[in-house]
Amino acid sequence: YNEQKFAEAIDSFDQVLRYNPAHREAKERLENARKFGKDLAGQWFKEAIDLQGKGEYRKALIMFQSVLKAQPGNVEVQSRISKCKNSIKDKAREMYKKGIAAFNGSKYREASKLMKDVLELQKPYEEAESYLRRAKAEVAKMNSVKREESMAKVRDLLNEGIQLYRNEKLIEAIA
């Protein structure tokens, strides 16, 4: 009750009242748990609808699930949970397609970010996990090539400077 787990509190108080129907404190707390649970669930429901309207389906889903715990069997909440799950899947599928397009366009950093976003929305998603691994490997290769190219450029400049120094072209060597 104090932790705002009203469905559990209601069950507990019902059990107490089955053994002792005259238990005054259990009656009062049961009534309060039902009232506060209903009020809080109503507040959560409104917040969840707002989140759903903003396209924040993951957060809305969590809120609707909390409402359902407080109001088991609520058909409208069950329907909204189903809609949120479908919207999450659709959004993940859309991001996945964009990630594949980025990967195929050699935009590996973008592909990696999109696949991470897909996995935040929907896990497991084996195809997204596979593309994420592949995109990360390609980014690592690109970084390695860039590092090698940079090192080669530094070597070339160093060798050029040494050659200029040996030819007593000191001003050019330090420029």
Side-chain angles (χ1 to χ4, degrees), residues 12-25:
S12 296
F13 294 134
D14 276 338
Q15 286 178 6
V16 169
L17 291 172
R18 270 187 243 132
Y19 293 112
N20 183 358
H23 196 286
R24 191 172 47 97
E25 186 179 356

Side-chain angles (χ1 to χ4, degrees), residues 126-138:
E126 290 179 26
E127 296 90 348
E129 290 171 358
S130 173
Y131 270 98
L132 177 58
R133 281 191 300 277
R134 291 171 59 194
K136 283 182 174 181
E138 291 297 328

Side-chain angles (χ1 to χ4, degrees), residues 13-40:
F13 294 134
D14 276 338
Q15 286 178 6
V16 169
L17 291 172
R18 270 187 243 132
Y19 293 112
N20 183 358
H23 196 286
R24 191 172 47 97
E25 186 179 356
K27 284 181 184 178
E28 289 172 9
R29 289 189 181 251
L30 175 62
E31 186 177 315
N32 286 338
R34 285 186 174 142
K35 180 186 179 300
F36 290 130
K38 184 178 178 182
D39 292 347
L40 193 57

Side-chain angles (χ1 to χ4, degrees), residues 9-10 14 38 48 91 96 107 109 114 126 156 164 173:
I10 289 168
D14 276 338
K38 184 178 178 182
K91 194 172 181 179
Y96 174 73
K107 298 176 182 175
R109 283 185 178 85
L114 285 163
E126 290 179 26
D156 291 345
L164 289 168

Side-chain angles (χ1 to χ4, degrees), residues 55-72:
E56 296 183 40
Y57 303 112
R58 197 90 175 123
K59 291 179 183 177
L61 176 62
I62 292 167
M63 294 294 289
F64 283 130
Q65 289 170 334
S66 295
V67 173
L68 193 60
K69 285 181 184 175
Q71 299 176 349

Side-chain angles (χ1 to χ4, degrees), residues 46-57:
K46 288 176 187 172
E47 288 177 36
I49 289 174
D50 200 38
L51 289 167
Q52 189 178 25
K54 292 177 183 174
E56 296 183 40
Y57 303 112

